[in-house]
């Protein structure tokens, strides 16, 4: 009779892992240069914030009106770094080492993200992403699947965020 | 925690993603050296500080990164509207009519 | 113990499950499902605490979170002590330790109760009148006295071993309150498909239904209907039910804070369980179904243990199977108490009399009372009670035509009172929604809303279960309304409902001297009706002033019981109507909330983010002492065995000046400025010229605000025509990037240039000292590091120790220096490679303190230490960094403002103390004439001050009025007990010609 009432669906399983580094770039350019850059990179650049595109193992996530995050295999880093030389006004900066990316998966992943993210992550569609805040730390969140997310934070914040994620995962596993 | 509509993301998102950035529609003079001391003082320091609708700037700093403009009521704290940087100052009367 | 006041088989507690706990050291037995209050009452214990000011003995007044008296300290082992817990909310658990508060030496004999005798000398405003002057008495006399005398609970002294959780939640409809209105709202919203959350602060959802089992809904008993409703809600995947969850605050745009209590009721703590969870809910619509709170009546002796709210007695009876006395009397101005009295009579309690202040009471009530053999005294008043630690008698008098007749005494062991009901609108008030006085209901009801919310049931003055159900369903359907959702409005057949009405009373009339009556309004803060009237006599007109003068409503219950009674009496004293006097403001939290819940994840090492570099772990393993620098922790110094800070820093300084030191400079802000207009952009942002800086070269950059004051500085390297590597101060990194983005996006959107933060992309190791080149050379591939080929202020992309690197030749020490940037993942490996290679060259690691000393010896500024936001380049002696030919840059116009070009501005100079062994204190004030009268005219302050190992004496930097015109002058630094003397010098103490850089 006095048991804690918690009638909502309980999701107890969530796993947090750190993804190995591949190669990541920040690409900035004007809309007028987008098509030329797509041709040079062999990768469509979505024109809506939050959308992703993929081709040949390369992936772009639009983070701002003139900003994309590019994720490419480590072996292609040099090729991508030089792909836009000449002609296209742009900034292409490697940021692979700037970030640590967590993979969060399992039925409890939405609950786990909700310990630190104020926006309604349920509304983020699969295949989309956003820069947001996790417990005061800027982070880029991508929904890879219904119950699978990546969360990238700057390197020096990673231990703080990882410890909170693990503490949250333990709490969720208790089912209280 | 307010909800703020980013005119670039076209999404209404929680306040921690945003940062306030002062009064809007105060453009840096094209040639500051041509200004008198008094004109330059006014540009630097004189702000409207109204009770009621305030034109102000915000940045979606933990999002798309863009600075944008907003009309916000300094009494209720609520946003009447947001619009992109560079767009003209909206007409408040029209805004009021639209709300009614 | 026998629990003599427990009624077997009655209530919702589990009679088969005894639970033992202690109260003030004495073992008490309750039942599973009891609160501490109900368990104590079952054992005949009414005395549960003492009041704040007079230390009067007090019993439990209510059965809910509004309880002002029964505050206890609870404990479950080391560190897990919680003061000021309401006994009516704390569920019993095996082994719970509970203790009463505000008592010494014991609850039944309290020395502080002498205040009670002195009560007439401690009137309203006593603290303001008495503890006024002299100022010095505050620290030593008044405050300790007040604190000790007051002491509302003891603060815990040990660290809290518990942890607390945090969660964001989004829903269509949030319903606060799980009584009939809230349940009906949840059913309506849930059935429509809306995502619905229902929260209730009690252990059990049900609200008044738990205390009114006699009502029948849809042909079922109230409890059966409740069970069915909860079962139906549990089957809905779109509905969440949360018990033990208090809505503590209602904020902008339907954000509601919830505190969920997870473990305080459990006998055994689950391993690793958080104690509480703070929820931040964002709801499309909020339904406030928080019901109403019963008002006490105001009469002499209304605070005696055993005097309690009639509704509370009804709750103790039905929920917990506890009778609050064997012979009770009732005094009321409202019908509802009659029903409570009938229920008690049915349960076998002798009801000695029902005293109603109204002359006319519905016949159906009086007839029922007479049938039950209860004496009915309508048109009567209560003028006093007796009994030392528990009420023993109540004095009642007839009132006719405003005249109070002769009194008689009725024996009782509990006195139940009811002054009507106050809609619970605290959360609504958090939104600044306005209230309007409803004369018929005798209450403030919700008026103008500021948020998307509905108020349902008793919260808007609707009494009775039927009205609550119907109104709840309406509110739930309205809240759920959205495209694609159909919300039906249910109807409910209710039998045995208890609607009713009453009158709003001020103090009850008395035949005695009202000035001697102790008729309490705020029980916890000991505010009486007399105090309110005194406050008005002494000139308080605003209800906010009356509140602060008397402290009415300022206790932990925030006036839940006292506000309306206080208002009615103040209004009467002012000769105004209640609405003309107005209400005080309710603020979050609704009920006292633990710091743990509010801090939640931000506890211990997570109180604040600690940023660590790639080399941090090496420094930690080497025994470095760390200091916080903005959010980073940085190695401060590296003490060896037996070294204190002074010795370690002196050794590190010597090593850099004579051999080579290595320093983790990774925290410096880094911004990649890239694009065809990169140089143009930097020309506009920084004071320095950039257009002609050749790729492969660096320059010191100075950044001003538009006001002309220094904001940041750092070395900027040009890597290519369209690519610059900008460094900022550690603390300024985010600020500088934001400022640059602001100008770029909003002032110069035409420029083709983009900014990318690379602070964390690169790990940076600085090598400084005469041996730096010798150390580095063998590790660099295919690059001539000689002074000719790679001179001071050069930059190159190359390979160092096998890692791709950006190599700078820069110096922040005045020594030959390099800074090696490698991708952060290689930072630790680079550091260790340099460390190995450096062993042959006398390398030492050094920390931020040595870095500070070495730069001060050269007079290099630290922005934020030697500048304070009012320092111009000329003030800092950095006029050389201004591009003279530039027509504009951020802040240039301000450098020509009259006050900036005026004489006598504070300028950065060096200071050498007359006694070389004395190291000045940073921040110390400087005067020209030490013999002037106090307060002295201060002409500046010390900004940086260190022991210089290189010079064997102290050095300092200072901002001094007209400082550069005072070279050689002796200034004075008054310190406690002595005045120090120091001579003004050029701030460049070591190798002033810079010979050491040219090697
Ligand atoms: Zn945005």
């Amino acid at each position: 009779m006095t048991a804690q009432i918690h009638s909502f669906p309980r999701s107890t399983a969530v796993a947090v892992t750190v993804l190995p580094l591949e190669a990541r770039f920040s690409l900035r350019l004007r809309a007028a240069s987008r098509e030329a850059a797509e041709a040079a990179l062999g990768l469509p650049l979505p024109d809506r914030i939050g959308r992703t595109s993929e081709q040949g193992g390369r992936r772009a996530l639009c983070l701002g009106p003139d900003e994309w995050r590019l994720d490419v295999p480590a072996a292609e880093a040099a090729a991508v770094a030089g792909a836009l030389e000449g002609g296209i006004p742009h900034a292409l900066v490697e940021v692979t080492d700037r970030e640590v990316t967590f993979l969060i998966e399992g039925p409890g992943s939405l609950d786990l993200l909700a310990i630190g993210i104020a926006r309604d992550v349920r509304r983020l569609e699969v295949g989309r992403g956003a820069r947001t805040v996790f417990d005061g730390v800027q982070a880029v969140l991508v929904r890879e699947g219904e119950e699978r997310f990546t969360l990238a934070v700057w390197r020096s914040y990673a231990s703080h965020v990882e410890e909170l994620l693990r503490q949250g995962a333990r709490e969720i596993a208790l089912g209280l | 925690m307010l909800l703020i509509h980013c005119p670039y993301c076209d999404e209404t998102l929680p306040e921690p993603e945003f940062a306030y950035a002062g009064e809007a529609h105060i453009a840096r003079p094209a040639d500051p050296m041509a200004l008198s001391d008094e004109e330059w003082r006014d540009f630097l320091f004189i702000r409207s500080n109204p009770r009621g609708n305030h034109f102000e700037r915000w940045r979606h700093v933990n999002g798309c990164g863009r600075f944008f403009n907003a009309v916000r009521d300094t009494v209720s704290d609520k946003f009447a509207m947001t619009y992109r940087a560079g767009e003209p100052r909206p007409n408040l009367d029209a805004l009021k009519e639209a709300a009614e | 113990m026998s629990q003599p006041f427990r009624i077997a088989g009655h209530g919702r507690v589990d009679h088969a499950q005894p639970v033992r706990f202690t109260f003030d050291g004495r073992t008490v037995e309750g039942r599973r499902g009891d609160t501490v209050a109900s368990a104590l009452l079952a054992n005949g214990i009414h005395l549960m605490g003492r009041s704040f000011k007079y230390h009067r003995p007090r019993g439990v007044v209510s059965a809910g979170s509004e309880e002002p008296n029964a505050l206890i300290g609870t404990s479950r082992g080391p560190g897990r002590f919680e003061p000021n817990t309401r006994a009516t909310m704390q569920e019993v658990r095996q082994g719970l330790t509970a203790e009463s508060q505000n008592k010494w030496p014991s609850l039944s004999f309290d020395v502080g109760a002498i205040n009670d005798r002195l009560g007439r000398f401690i009137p309203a405003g006593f603290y303001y009148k008495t503890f006024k002057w002299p100022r010095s008495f505050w620290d030593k006399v008044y405050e300790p006295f007040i604190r000790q005398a007051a002491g509302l609970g003891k603060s815990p002294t040990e660290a809290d071993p518990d942890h607390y959780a945090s969660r964001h939640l989004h829903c269509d409809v949030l319903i606060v309150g799980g009584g009939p209105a809230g349940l009906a709202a949840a059913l309506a919203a849930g059935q429509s498909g809306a995502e619905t959350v229902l929260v209730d602060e009690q252990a059990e959802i049900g609200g008044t239904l738990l205390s009114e089992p006699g009502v029948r809904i849809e042909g079922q008993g109230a409890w059966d209907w409740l069970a069915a409703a909860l079962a139906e809600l549990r089957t809905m995947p779109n509905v969440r039910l949360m018990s033990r969850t208090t809505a503590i605050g209602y904020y902008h745009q339907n954000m509601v804070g919830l505190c969920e209590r997870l473990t305080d009721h459990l006998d055994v703590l689950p391993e690793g369980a958080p104690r509480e969870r703070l929820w931040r809910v964002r709801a499309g619509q909020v339904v406030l179904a928080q019901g109403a709170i019963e008002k006490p009546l105001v009469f002499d002796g209304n605070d005696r243990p055993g005097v309690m709210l009639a509704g509370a007695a009804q709750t103790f009876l039905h929920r917990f199977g506890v009778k609050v006395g064997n012979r009770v009397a009732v005094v009321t101005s409202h019908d509802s108490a009659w029903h409570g009295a009938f229920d008690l009579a049915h349960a076998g309690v002798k009801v000695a009399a029902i005293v109603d202040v109204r002359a006319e009471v519905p016949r159906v009530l009086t007839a029922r009372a007479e049938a039950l053999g209860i004496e009915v005294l309508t048109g009567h008043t209560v003028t006093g009670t007796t009994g030392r630690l528990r009420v023993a008698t109540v004095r009642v008098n007839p009132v006719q035509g405003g005249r109070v007749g002769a009194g008689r005494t009725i024996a009782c062991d509990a006195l139940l009172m009811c002054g009507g009901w106050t809609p619970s609108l605290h959360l609504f008030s958090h939104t600044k929604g306005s209230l309007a006085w409803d004369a018929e209901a005798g209450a403030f009801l919700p008026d103008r809303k500021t948020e998307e919310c509905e108020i349902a049931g008793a919260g808007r003055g609707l009494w009775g279960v039927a009205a609550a159900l119907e109104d709840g369903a309406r509110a739930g359907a309205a809240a759920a309304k959205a495209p694609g959702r159909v919300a039906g409005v249910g109807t409910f057949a209710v039998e045995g409902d208890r609607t009713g009405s009453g009158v709003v009373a001020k103090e009850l009339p008395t035949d005695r001297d009202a000035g001697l009556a102790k008729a309490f309004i705020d029980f916890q803060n000991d505010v009486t009706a007399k105090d309110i009237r005194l406050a008005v006599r002494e000139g308080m007109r605003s209800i906010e002033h009356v509140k602060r003068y008397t402290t009415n409503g300022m206790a932990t219950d925030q006036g839940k019981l006292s506000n309306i009674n206080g208002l009615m009496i103040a209004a009467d004293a002012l000769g105004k109507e209640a609405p003309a006097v107005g209400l005080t403001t309710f603020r979050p939290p609704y009920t006292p909330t633990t710091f743990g819940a509010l801090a939640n994840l931000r506890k211990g090492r997570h109180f604040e983010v600690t940023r660590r570099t790639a080399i941090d772990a090496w420094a930690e393993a080497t025994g470095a002492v760390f200091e916080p620098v903005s959010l980073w922790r940085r190695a401060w110094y590296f003490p060896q065995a037996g070294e204190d800070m002074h010795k370690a820093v002196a050794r590190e300084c010597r090593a850099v000046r004579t051999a080579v030191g290595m320093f983790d400079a990774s925290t410096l802000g880094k911004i990649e400025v890239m694009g065809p207009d990169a140089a143009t952009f930097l020309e506009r942002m920084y004071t320095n010229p950039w257009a002609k800086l050749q790729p492969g070269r660096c320059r010191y950059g100075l950044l001003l605000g538009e006001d002309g004051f220094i904001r940041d500085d750092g070395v900027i390297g040009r890597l290519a025509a369209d690519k610059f590597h900008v460094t900022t101060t550690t603390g300024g990194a985010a600020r500088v990037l934001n400022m640059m983005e602001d100008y770029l996006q909003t002032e110069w959107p035409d420029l083709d240039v983009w900014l990318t933060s690379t602070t964390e992309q690169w790990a940076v190791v600085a090598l400084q000292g005469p041996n730096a080149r010798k150390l580095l050379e063998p590790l660099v591939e295919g690059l001539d590091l000689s002074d000719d080929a790679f001179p001071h202020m050069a930059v190159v992309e190359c390979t160092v120790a096998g890692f791709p690197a950006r190599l700078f030749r820069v110096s922040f020490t005045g020594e030959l220096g390099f800074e090696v940037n490698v991708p952060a993942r290689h930072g630790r490996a680079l550091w260790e490679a340099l460390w190995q290679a450096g062993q042959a060259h006398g390398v030492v690691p050094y920390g931020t303190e040595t870095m500070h000393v070495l730069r001060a010896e050269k007079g290099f500024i630290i922005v934020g230490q030697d500048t304070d936001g009012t320092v111009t380049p000329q003030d800092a002696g950095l006029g050389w960094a201004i591009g003279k030919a530039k027509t504009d840059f951020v802040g240039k116009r301000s450098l020509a403002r009259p006050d900036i070009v005026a004489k006598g501005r504070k300028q950065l100079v060096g200071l050498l103390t007359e006694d070389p062994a004395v190291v000045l204190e940073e921040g110390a004030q400087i005067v020209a004439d030490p013999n002037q009268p106090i307060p002295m005219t201060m002409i500046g302050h010390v900004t940086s001050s260190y022991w210089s190992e290189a010079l064997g004496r102290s050095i300092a930097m200072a901002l001094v009025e007209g400082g550069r015109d005072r070279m050689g002058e002796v200034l004075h630094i008054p310190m406690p007990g002595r005045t120090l003397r120091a001579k003004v010098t050029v701030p460049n103490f070591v190798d002033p010609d810079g010979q050491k850089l040219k090697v």
Side-chain angles (χ1 to χ4, degrees), chain A residues 49 63-65, chain B residues 5-11 13 17-18 59-61 63-66 68:
Chain A
I49 296 167
L63 286 172
Chain B
H5 185 83
C6 173
Y8 293 92
C9 294
D10 195 22
E11 267 198 280
L13 296 161
E17 294 195 1
F18 298 83
R59 185 181 181 205
H60 194 187
V61 60
C64 67
R66 308 310 290 184
F68 60 89

Side-chain angles (χ1 to χ4, degrees), chain B residues 1-3 14 26-28 30 32-33 35-37 40 43-45 57 59 61 65-67 76-78 85, chain C residues 168 252-253 255 282 450-451 706-707 738 741-743 745-748 887-890 892-894 896-898:
Chain B
M1 195 201 293
L2 293 166
L3 291 171
I26 298 173
R28 186 175 192 269
M33 299 310 284
L35 267 58
S36 70
D37 286 336
W40 184 248
F43 163 72
L44 282 182
F45 303 121
R57 304 187 324 133
R59 185 181 181 205
V61 60
R66 308 310 290 184
F67 284 84
S76 71
D77 286 348
K78 284 179 183 163
Chain C
H168 293 272
H252 282 306
Q253 287 170 291
M255 171 139 148
R282 181 77 70 176
T450 64
E451 294 285 343
E706 208 65 91
D707 52 17
N738 189 70
E741 278 288 349
D742 193 349
Y743 277 91
Q745 288 183 31
T746 65
E747 301 294 348
W748 310 313
T887 54
D888 192 17
F889 55 80
V890 172
K892 178 176 169 67
R893 174 64 184 83
S894 286
R897 288 180 57 215

